Amino acid sequence: MGRAVHGTIVVPGERLDSKVEGKHPYTLELGGARIATVVGLLSRRDDKHVFINIKGVYVPEVGHVVIGLVESIGATSWHVDINAPYEAILPAQDFLGRPFNPAVDDLARYLRPGDYIKARVTLFDKTRNPVLSVQGEGLGRVVNGIVVDISPSKIARVVGKRRSMANMVEEKTGCTLFPTVNGRVHIECPSRELEVIAVMALKIVEAEAHTVGLTERIARFIEEERARRGV
Amino acid sequence: MGHKAKVTLIDERGLRHDGRRFDELRPIRMQVGVLANATGSALVEYGRTKVLAAVYGPREPFQKFMTLPDRAILRVRYHMAPFSTSERKSPTPSRREVELSKVIREALEDIVLSSEYPRTVIDVFVEVLQADGGTRVAGVTAASLALADAGVPMKGLVAGVAVGKVGGVLVLDVDEVEDSMGEADMPVAGAPDLGLVTLFQLNGVLTEEEVERGFSMAWGAIERIVSMEKEVLRRKFEAVGEEV
């Protein structure tokens, strides 16, 4: 038997009640009826019926803070994979915080393919690729720790209500978690063993995001793993 | 190679060469999420026909000139593995495979909400692992499941089935023997939730009345297959706790 789930699983094409709240394009008005367009969960939250997509593709929005992976270096910018259908651009001028001269500055000295950055989406409207900025507190190149990929639709569960899940994992492992909407989590831990436990815990959250009693199960899992590994 | 034995397509009890009734589907099996590297994937079996579908994207294509400013492009590649038939099939895409790629793409295009991802491409690879008739319709079913598994927004699930005419009798879900020795083959695919037919072909000759009756048989089967697709998707997420 599987775990009990938080509501009812709904599949593409199934009709939803007109009062159900859900994000576009995961719910759609079609021929006078409201339908689900992806696999999701129909559940009750604060006297409202909501549809939460279990599956989905990350689409950037202006203001989102994302973790990007530098893919290549252009003449005046870096091309960054932000786990979206569109490749993002980080202008050199923004990263350096000063005017940039391609004849003098070598971009490879600052960021190379394979580097992770934390950045904010400053421009995006689907007609042009997203533009990123690292100007802001906590943004810039990721120097320590590791970055874990999680399905973007599961990030909300990694964070939890009022950050409950993320706080619990941080408390139990001593790591710091920085989850972003594009499905990446930056983890910094005091030791390699704790890092492995934190990653395993996040992967369980991803796989069981829509099941009941998850926070307690993850807390128990971390305690058991720490005891088993003696850390 | 020896000569093929003569097959009785419909016996005196009205049963087909494999023992099925005229309106009986082959045993259908479905699995989703079978490939870790794909955004979504599915393995579908109609009897001995096995088809694997993998979806990648939406993503930016390498050749950016081929993008459209208002929607995603759906690219479908239908391919039969060299080991899918009893005699080796050349891996080079044949005229038939190019045509079926187009037919499957058109069977899915009206269902996928491609306008949500302009300037991108959604790649669907349909690989026939074992061919025993009905590969295009099994391909449509597998591709629909793989798209749902990938989280690509869709108006509904699609499924397909082929109706044929053998020994003067209309039969459901034709296999290779019935397809090659029968009088007609009519593949149909559609989305029952939307009342939408997305694929309708006919090889051979049927009367108007036979087409109507055949379509009605196919549509009933498509409704059953889409119900199976829904069940498989639900089961995957309800049983998720066992995977970890």
Side-chain angles (χ1 to χ4, degrees):
Chain A
M1 284 293 289
R3 311 264 188 233
V5 296
H6 263 302
T8 317
I9 305 277
V10 179
V11 299
E14 282 192 330
R15 285 187 176 217
L16 302 171
D17 191 275
S18 58
K19 288 175 193 155
V20 170
E21 290 180 9
K23 274 198 232 162
H24 180 84
Y26 304 126
T27 62
L28 187 73
E29 294 288 340
L30 194 72
R34 195 170 177 78
I35 60 159
T37 62
V38 292
V39 180
L41 196 65
L42 188 62
S43 61
R44 212 176 158 80
R45 188 188 285 171
D46 303 332
D47 289 340
K48 284 184 216 158
H49 287 286
V50 289
F51 176 81
I52 304 153
N53 59 299
I54 294 175
K55 288 282 181 175
V57 178
Y58 171 67
V59 176
E61 282 178 28
V62 172
H64 277 178
V65 172
V66 295
I67 294 177
L69 174 66
V70 177
E71 291 235 296
S72 58
I73 304 172
T76 60
S77 60
W78 289 274
H79 300 158
V80 183
D81 164 26
I82 56 166
N83 202 20
Y86 308 96
E87 190 177 66
I89 290 162
L90 174 65
Q93 200 166 331
D94 180 277
F95 185 83
L96 299 174
R98 60 172 167 80
F100 161 73
N101 180 357
V104 178
D105 286 307
D106 176 15
L107 293 189
R109 277 181 55 206
Y110 305 100
L111 286 175
R112 287 167 180 270
D115 283 347
Y116 280 104
I117 55 161
K118 290 176 188 170
R120 190 182 305 278
V121 179
T122 53
L123 282 172
F124 178 64
D125 63 1
K126 282 190 184 175
T127 62
R128 277 179 292 179
N129 282 20
V131 177
L132 304 177
S133 169
V134 292
Q135 298 300 319
E137 197 185 337
L139 305 181
R141 184 165 160 242
V142 174
V143 183
N144 298 315
I146 59 160
V147 172
V148 178
D149 275 23
I150 301 272
S151 168
S153 55
K154 309 289 173 61
I155 279 293
R157 196 68 190 90
V158 169
V159 177
K161 266 187 197 165
R162 289 184 290 278
R163 215 176 180 276
S164 58
M165 180 68 84
N167 285 345
M168 185 275 291
V169 175
E170 285 182 344
E171 193 186 304
K172 297 269 178 197
T173 58
C175 305
T176 56
L177 263 56
F178 188 89
T180 57
V181 278
N182 65 325
R184 289 191 176 134
V185 186
H186 175 218
I187 307 171
E188 280 185 277
C189 294
S191 73
R192 174 78 186 132
E193 285 285 318
L194 289 167
E195 188 179 272
V196 170
I197 294 171
V199 172
M200 286 166 75
L202 292 187
K203 287 293 173 187
I204 298 174
V205 174
E206 181 186 24
E208 301 186 14
H210 55 289
T211 58
V212 178
L214 186 59
T215 312
E216 296 76 39
R217 278 208 307 283
I218 297 296
R220 210 163 47 239
F221 167 79
I222 295 171
E223 282 164 13
E224 286 169 6
E225 274 300 308
R226 287 193 70 157
R228 198 173 69 81
R229 292 163 185 259
V231 286
Chain B
M1 293 288 289
H3 291 286
K4 279 183 181 173
K6 188 162 165 43
V7 176
T8 307
L9 291 174
I10 301 284
D11 69 13
E12 63 283 357
R13 292 173 298 164
L15 296 178
R16 293 152 75 177
H17 77 98
D18 56 0
R20 282 187 290 159
R21 294 187 310 273
F22 76 96
D23 60 349
E24 198 174 335
L25 288 166
R26 287 175 284 180
I28 294 179
R29 290 182 59 197
M30 299 174 185
Q31 269 178 280
V32 283
V34 290
L35 298 176
N37 289 346
T39 320
S41 58
L43 178 66
V44 169
E45 296 177 28
Y46 284 20
R48 285 186 298 184
T49 291
K50 285 187 189 185
V51 181
L52 182 68
V55 170
Y56 292 80
R59 62 185 177 183
E60 279 187 309
F62 287 115
Q63 297 145 315
K64 293 208 169 62
F65 67 86
M66 67 183 299
T67 57
L68 294 174
D70 60 338
R71 63 180 191 273
I73 289 172
L74 193 64
R75 272 196 308 206
V76 176
R77 189 190 85 143
Y78 165 96
H79 183 251
M80 292 180 81
F83 52 83
S84 62
T85 46
S86 51
E87 281 180 36
R88 178 184 179 274
K89 190 240 156 232
S90 163
T92 316
S94 63
R95 184 209 60 78
R96 176 180 171 275
E97 285 166 302
V98 173
E99 181 206 322
L100 292 192
S101 299
K102 175 182 178 287
V103 165
I104 295 172
R105 171 169 57 78
E106 288 174 348
L108 300 166
E109 255 174 353
D110 280 348
I111 302 297
V112 173
L113 296 176
S114 54
S115 59
E116 294 302 321
Y117 307 103
R119 303 186 297 117
T120 65
V121 62
I122 300 167
D123 282 310
V124 181
F125 296 93
V126 175
E127 191 73 17
V128 179
L129 302 179
Q130 187 165 281
D132 187 31
T135 57
R136 85 189 66 185
V137 284
V140 169
T141 306
S144 164
L145 266 178
L147 282 164
D149 185 47
V152 174
M154 304 157 78
K155 293 181 207 162
L157 294 168
V158 189
V161 74
V163 168
K165 186 178 176 185
V166 292
V169 178
L170 284 180
V171 294
L172 185 65
D173 190 15
V174 287
D175 64 12
E176 183 62 37
V177 171
E178 292 171 329
D179 190 19
S180 56
M181 298 172 73
E183 294 120 75
D185 170 35
M186 187 173 79
V188 182
D193 285 335
L194 306 169
L196 195 66
V197 178
T198 60
L199 185 157
F200 192 102
Q201 294 181 295
L202 173 62
N203 300 319
V205 179
L206 293 179
T207 65
E208 208 174 307
E209 185 272 328
E210 283 172 334
V211 169
E212 277 184 23
R213 201 150 42 88
F215 178 78
S216 164
M217 281 165 68
W219 197 250
I222 286 169
E223 286 176 336
R224 294 209 296 278
I225 298 168
V226 165
S227 298
M228 288 182 213
E229 286 184 45
K230 290 178 178 177
E231 197 47 45
V232 165
L233 286 169
R234 275 200 199 94
R235 234 181 16 236
K236 179 184 174 185
F237 293 100
E238 282 169 356
V240 75
E242 292 176 298
E243 293 173 12
V244 179

Short mmCIF file of all heavy atoms in Angstrom, two decimals, chain B residues 11-50:
data_model
loop_
_atom_site.label_atom_id
_atom_site.label_comp_id
_atom_site.label_asym_id
_atom_site.label_seq_id
_atom_site.Cartn_x
_atom_site.Cartn_y
_atom_site.Cartn_z
N ASP B 11 -13.01 -18.28 -37.01
CA ASP B 11 -13.42 -19.69 -37.06
C ASP B 11 -14.94 -19.83 -37.02
O ASP B 11 -15.67 -18.83 -36.97
CB ASP B 11 -12.71 -20.50 -35.94
CG ASP B 11 -13.22 -20.14 -34.55
OD1 ASP B 11 -14.26 -19.46 -34.43
OD2 ASP B 11 -12.56 -20.54 -33.57
N GLU B 12 -15.39 -21.08 -37.00
CA GLU B 12 -16.85 -21.34 -37.08
C GLU B 12 -17.60 -20.83 -35.84
O GLU B 12 -18.79 -20.56 -35.89
CB GLU B 12 -17.14 -22.84 -37.32
CG GLU B 12 -16.70 -23.80 -36.25
CD GLU B 12 -15.19 -24.09 -36.26
OE1 GLU B 12 -14.45 -23.58 -37.13
OE2 GLU B 12 -14.76 -24.81 -35.35
N ARG B 13 -16.86 -20.63 -34.72
CA ARG B 13 -17.51 -20.10 -33.50
C ARG B 13 -17.48 -18.56 -33.48
O ARG B 13 -17.92 -17.94 -32.53
CB ARG B 13 -16.79 -20.62 -32.26
CG ARG B 13 -16.96 -22.12 -32.04
CD ARG B 13 -16.08 -22.60 -30.90
NE ARG B 13 -14.66 -22.37 -31.22
CZ ARG B 13 -13.67 -22.39 -30.34
NH1 ARG B 13 -13.94 -22.59 -29.07
NH2 ARG B 13 -12.43 -22.19 -30.70
N GLY B 14 -16.92 -17.98 -34.53
CA GLY B 14 -16.85 -16.52 -34.61
C GLY B 14 -15.64 -15.95 -33.87
O GLY B 14 -15.56 -14.74 -33.65
N LEU B 15 -14.72 -16.84 -33.46
CA LEU B 15 -13.53 -16.36 -32.73
C LEU B 15 -12.39 -16.09 -33.70
O LEU B 15 -12.28 -16.73 -34.76
CB LEU B 15 -13.10 -17.40 -31.69
CG LEU B 15 -14.09 -17.66 -30.56
CD1 LEU B 15 -13.56 -18.73 -29.63
CD2 LEU B 15 -14.39 -16.38 -29.77
N ARG B 16 -11.53 -15.15 -33.32
CA ARG B 16 -10.41 -14.76 -34.17
C ARG B 16 -9.25 -15.74 -33.99
O ARG B 16 -9.26 -16.59 -33.11
CB ARG B 16 -10.00 -13.33 -33.82
CG ARG B 16 -11.10 -12.36 -34.21
CD ARG B 16 -11.10 -11.14 -33.34
NE ARG B 16 -10.03 -10.22 -33.66
CZ ARG B 16 -9.88 -9.04 -33.06
NH1 ARG B 16 -10.73 -8.65 -32.11
NH2 ARG B 16 -8.89 -8.25 -33.39
N HIS B 17 -8.22 -15.57 -34.81
CA HIS B 17 -7.11 -16.55 -34.82
C HIS B 17 -6.42 -16.67 -33.46
O HIS B 17 -5.85 -17.72 -33.15
CB HIS B 17 -6.09 -16.18 -35.91
CG HIS B 17 -5.20 -15.04 -35.53
ND1 HIS B 17 -3.94 -15.23 -35.04
CD2 HIS B 17 -5.41 -13.70 -35.52
CE1 HIS B 17 -3.40 -14.06 -34.77
NE2 HIS B 17 -4.27 -13.11 -35.05
N ASP B 18 -6.49 -15.60 -32.63
CA ASP B 18 -5.86 -15.69 -31.31
C ASP B 18 -6.88 -15.94 -30.20
O ASP B 18 -6.56 -15.80 -29.01
CB ASP B 18 -5.06 -14.42 -31.02
CG ASP B 18 -5.89 -13.15 -31.11
OD1 ASP B 18 -7.11 -13.26 -31.41
OD2 ASP B 18 -5.35 -12.05 -30.89
N GLY B 19 -8.11 -16.30 -30.61
CA GLY B 19 -9.13 -16.67 -29.62
C GLY B 19 -9.98 -15.52 -29.12
O GLY B 19 -10.89 -15.72 -28.30
N ARG B 20 -9.72 -14.30 -29.62
CA ARG B 20 -10.52 -13.16 -29.16
C ARG B 20 -11.86 -13.10 -29.88
O ARG B 20 -11.98 -13.56 -31.02
CB ARG B 20 -9.76 -11.85 -29.45
CG ARG B 20 -8.68 -11.54 -28.48
CD ARG B 20 -8.11 -10.17 -28.76
NE ARG B 20 -7.34 -10.11 -30.00
CZ ARG B 20 -7.09 -9.00 -30.67
NH1 ARG B 20 -7.59 -7.85 -30.25
NH2 ARG B 20 -6.36 -9.01 -31.76
N ARG B 21 -12.85 -12.48 -29.21
CA ARG B 21 -14.11 -12.19 -29.87
C ARG B 21 -13.89 -10.99 -30.81
O ARG B 21 -12.88 -10.29 -30.69
CB ARG B 21 -15.20 -11.84 -28.84
CG ARG B 21 -15.59 -13.00 -27.94
CD ARG B 21 -16.78 -12.61 -27.07
NE ARG B 21 -16.57 -11.33 -26.40
CZ ARG B 21 -15.96 -11.19 -25.22
NH1 ARG B 21 -15.51 -12.25 -24.58
NH2 ARG B 21 -15.82 -10.00 -24.68
N PHE B 22 -14.86 -10.70 -31.67
CA PHE B 22 -14.65 -9.63 -32.67
C PHE B 22 -14.47 -8.25 -32.02
O PHE B 22 -13.81 -7.39 -32.58
CB PHE B 22 -15.84 -9.63 -33.66
CG PHE B 22 -17.10 -9.03 -33.11
CD1 PHE B 22 -17.41 -7.69 -33.34
CD2 PHE B 22 -17.97 -9.78 -32.33
CE1 PHE B 22 -18.56 -7.13 -32.83
CE2 PHE B 22 -19.12 -9.22 -31.81
CZ PHE B 22 -19.42 -7.89 -32.05
N ASP B 23 -15.05 -8.08 -30.82
CA ASP B 23 -15.00 -6.75 -30.19
C ASP B 23 -14.09 -6.73 -28.97
O ASP B 23 -14.26 -5.91 -28.08
CB ASP B 23 -16.42 -6.31 -29.79
CG ASP B 23 -17.06 -7.28 -28.81
OD1 ASP B 23 -16.49 -8.38 -28.60
OD2 ASP B 23 -18.12 -6.95 -28.26
N GLU B 24 -13.12 -7.63 -28.96
CA GLU B 24 -12.25 -7.75 -27.77
C GLU B 24 -10.88 -7.12 -28.03
O GLU B 24 -10.27 -7.37 -29.08
CB GLU B 24 -12.10 -9.24 -27.43
CG GLU B 24 -11.62 -9.48 -26.03
CD GLU B 24 -11.61 -10.97 -25.69
OE1 GLU B 24 -12.38 -11.75 -26.30
OE2 GLU B 24 -10.81 -11.34 -24.82
N LEU B 25 -10.42 -6.34 -27.06
CA LEU B 25 -9.08 -5.77 -27.13
C LEU B 25 -8.06 -6.82 -26.73
O LEU B 25 -8.37 -7.75 -26.00
CB LEU B 25 -8.96 -4.59 -26.16
CG LEU B 25 -9.69 -3.29 -26.49
CD1 LEU B 25 -9.73 -2.40 -25.25
CD2 LEU B 25 -9.00 -2.56 -27.63
N ARG B 26 -6.82 -6.62 -27.18
CA ARG B 26 -5.73 -7.45 -26.65
C ARG B 26 -5.45 -6.99 -25.21
O ARG B 26 -5.84 -5.87 -24.85
CB ARG B 26 -4.47 -7.26 -27.50
CG ARG B 26 -4.57 -7.91 -28.85
CD ARG B 26 -3.36 -7.60 -29.70
NE ARG B 26 -3.40 -6.25 -30.25
CZ ARG B 26 -2.46 -5.71 -31.03
NH1 ARG B 26 -1.39 -6.42 -31.34
NH2 ARG B 26 -2.57 -4.48 -31.48
N PRO B 27 -4.77 -7.80 -24.40
CA PRO B 27 -4.44 -7.32 -23.04
C PRO B 27 -3.57 -6.06 -23.15
O PRO B 27 -2.58 -6.05 -23.88
CB PRO B 27 -3.64 -8.47 -22.43
CG PRO B 27 -3.93 -9.65 -23.28
CD PRO B 27 -4.27 -9.15 -24.65
N ILE B 28 -3.98 -5.01 -22.44
CA ILE B 28 -3.25 -3.73 -22.52
C ILE B 28 -2.53 -3.49 -21.19
O ILE B 28 -3.12 -3.63 -20.12
CB ILE B 28 -4.21 -2.57 -22.85
CG1 ILE B 28 -4.76 -2.76 -24.27
CG2 ILE B 28 -3.51 -1.21 -22.71
CD1 ILE B 28 -5.74 -1.71 -24.71
N ARG B 29 -1.25 -3.14 -21.30
CA ARG B 29 -0.46 -2.80 -20.10
C ARG B 29 0.15 -1.42 -20.29
O ARG B 29 0.57 -1.09 -21.40
CB ARG B 29 0.65 -3.83 -19.87
CG ARG B 29 0.12 -5.19 -19.45
CD ARG B 29 1.28 -6.13 -19.19
NE ARG B 29 2.16 -5.62 -18.16
CZ ARG B 29 3.41 -6.07 -17.97
NH1 ARG B 29 3.90 -7.00 -18.74
NH2 ARG B 29 4.15 -5.57 -17.00
N MET B 30 0.21 -0.65 -19.23
CA MET B 30 0.79 0.70 -19.31
C MET B 30 1.65 0.98 -18.09
O MET B 30 1.31 0.57 -17.00
CB MET B 30 -0.32 1.77 -19.33
CG MET B 30 -1.26 1.68 -20.49
SD MET B 30 -2.58 2.87 -20.26
CE MET B 30 -3.60 2.45 -21.67
N GLN B 31 2.73 1.69 -18.32
CA GLN B 31 3.59 2.14 -17.22
C GLN B 31 4.01 3.58 -17.53
O GLN B 31 4.27 3.90 -18.70
CB GLN B 31 4.87 1.31 -17.20
CG GLN B 31 4.83 0.07 -16.35
CD GLN B 31 6.17 -0.65 -16.48
OE1 GLN B 31 6.41 -1.35 -17.44
NE2 GLN B 31 7.05 -0.43 -15.52
N VAL B 32 4.12 4.43 -16.53
CA VAL B 32 4.62 5.80 -16.75
C VAL B 32 5.89 6.02 -15.95
O VAL B 32 6.15 5.33 -14.96
CB VAL B 32 3.58 6.89 -16.39
CG1 VAL B 32 2.53 7.03 -17.43
CG2 VAL B 32 2.99 6.66 -15.03
N GLY B 33 6.68 7.00 -16.41
CA GLY B 33 7.92 7.34 -15.71
C GLY B 33 8.95 6.24 -15.78
O GLY B 33 9.64 5.96 -14.81
N VAL B 34 9.10 5.61 -16.96
CA VAL B 34 10.02 4.48 -17.08
C VAL B 34 11.44 4.91 -17.45
O VAL B 34 12.37 4.12 -17.36
CB VAL B 34 9.52 3.44 -18.13
CG1 VAL B 34 8.29 2.72 -17.62
CG2 VAL B 34 9.23 4.11 -19.46
N LEU B 35 11.62 6.17 -17.88
CA LEU B 35 12.96 6.65 -18.25
C LEU B 35 13.34 7.83 -17.36
O LEU B 35 12.61 8.83 -17.30
CB LEU B 35 12.98 7.12 -19.72
CG LEU B 35 12.66 6.07 -20.77
CD1 LEU B 35 12.61 6.72 -22.15
CD2 LEU B 35 13.68 4.95 -20.77
N ALA B 36 14.50 7.71 -16.68
CA ALA B 36 14.90 8.75 -15.73
C ALA B 36 15.35 10.03 -16.44
O ALA B 36 15.16 11.13 -15.93
CB ALA B 36 16.01 8.23 -14.84
N ASN B 37 15.95 9.91 -17.61
CA ASN B 37 16.51 11.09 -18.27
C ASN B 37 15.48 11.93 -19.02
O ASN B 37 15.74 13.07 -19.36
CB ASN B 37 17.61 10.68 -19.25
CG ASN B 37 18.85 10.21 -18.53
OD1 ASN B 37 18.98 10.44 -17.33
ND2 ASN B 37 19.73 9.54 -19.22
N ALA B 38 14.32 11.36 -19.32
CA ALA B 38 13.29 12.09 -20.07
C ALA B 38 12.46 12.93 -19.10
O ALA B 38 12.33 12.59 -17.92
CB ALA B 38 12.39 11.12 -20.82
N THR B 39 11.86 14.01 -19.62
CA THR B 39 10.96 14.81 -18.79
C THR B 39 9.73 13.98 -18.43
O THR B 39 9.21 14.05 -17.32
CB THR B 39 10.52 16.10 -19.54
OG1 THR B 39 11.64 16.63 -20.25
CG2 THR B 39 9.99 17.14 -18.60
N GLY B 40 9.28 13.19 -19.38
CA GLY B 40 8.15 12.27 -19.13
C GLY B 40 8.29 11.07 -20.04
O GLY B 40 8.86 11.18 -21.14
N SER B 41 7.78 9.92 -19.61
CA SER B 41 7.92 8.72 -20.45
C SER B 41 6.81 7.72 -20.13
O SER B 41 6.18 7.79 -19.07
CB SER B 41 9.28 8.07 -20.22
OG SER B 41 9.43 7.74 -18.86
N ALA B 42 6.59 6.81 -21.07
CA ALA B 42 5.57 5.78 -20.87
C ALA B 42 5.89 4.57 -21.73
O ALA B 42 6.46 4.70 -22.82
CB ALA B 42 4.19 6.32 -21.21
N LEU B 43 5.52 3.41 -21.23
CA LEU B 43 5.65 2.16 -21.98
C LEU B 43 4.25 1.57 -22.10
O LEU B 43 3.58 1.36 -21.09
CB LEU B 43 6.58 1.19 -21.25
CG LEU B 43 6.79 -0.18 -21.89
CD1 LEU B 43 7.52 -0.06 -23.22
CD2 LEU B 43 7.60 -1.09 -20.97
N VAL B 44 3.81 1.34 -23.34
CA VAL B 44 2.45 0.84 -23.56
C VAL B 44 2.52 -0.46 -24.36
O VAL B 44 3.27 -0.56 -25.33
CB VAL B 44 1.59 1.90 -24.30
CG1 VAL B 44 0.28 1.31 -24.77
CG2 VAL B 44 1.32 3.09 -23.37
N GLU B 45 1.76 -1.46 -23.93
CA GLU B 45 1.70 -2.74 -24.64
C GLU B 45 0.26 -3.03 -25.04
O GLU B 45 -0.64 -2.99 -24.20
CB GLU B 45 2.20 -3.87 -23.74
CG GLU B 45 3.66 -3.73 -23.35
CD GLU B 45 4.12 -4.82 -22.39
OE1 GLU B 45 3.54 -5.93 -22.45
OE2 GLU B 45 5.01 -4.55 -21.58
N TYR B 46 0.05 -3.28 -26.33
CA TYR B 46 -1.23 -3.81 -26.83
C TYR B 46 -0.90 -5.24 -27.23
O TYR B 46 -0.36 -5.46 -28.31
CB TYR B 46 -1.71 -3.04 -28.06
CG TYR B 46 -2.31 -1.68 -27.85
CD1 TYR B 46 -2.08 -0.93 -26.70
CD2 TYR B 46 -3.11 -1.11 -28.82
CE1 TYR B 46 -2.64 0.33 -26.53
CE2 TYR B 46 -3.67 0.15 -28.67
CZ TYR B 46 -3.43 0.86 -27.53
OH TYR B 46 -3.97 2.12 -27.38
N GLY B 47 -1.17 -6.19 -26.39
CA GLY B 47 -0.77 -7.57 -26.68
C GLY B 47 0.73 -7.65 -26.81
O GLY B 47 1.47 -7.25 -25.91
N ARG B 48 1.21 -8.12 -28.00
CA ARG B 48 2.66 -8.23 -28.18
C ARG B 48 3.28 -6.96 -28.76
O ARG B 48 4.49 -6.91 -28.96
CB ARG B 48 2.97 -9.44 -29.08
CG ARG B 48 2.81 -10.75 -28.32
CD ARG B 48 3.26 -11.91 -29.14
NE ARG B 48 2.44 -12.05 -30.36
CZ ARG B 48 2.56 -13.02 -31.23
NH1 ARG B 48 3.46 -13.96 -31.04
NH2 ARG B 48 1.79 -13.09 -32.29
N THR B 49 2.47 -5.97 -29.07
CA THR B 49 3.01 -4.68 -29.54
C THR B 49 3.47 -3.88 -28.33
O THR B 49 2.71 -3.67 -27.40
CB THR B 49 1.93 -3.90 -30.32
OG1 THR B 49 1.68 -4.60 -31.54
CG2 THR B 49 2.36 -2.48 -30.64
N LYS B 50 4.77 -3.48 -28.37
CA LYS B 50 5.33 -2.71 -27.25
C LYS B 50 5.88 -1.40 -27.78
O LYS B 50 6.72 -1.41 -28.69
CB LYS B 50 6.49 -3.47 -26.60
CG LYS B 50 6.07 -4.63 -25.74
CD LYS B 50 7.26 -5.20 -25.01
CE LYS B 50 6.84 -6.49 -24.33
NZ LYS B 50 7.87 -7.06 -23.51
#
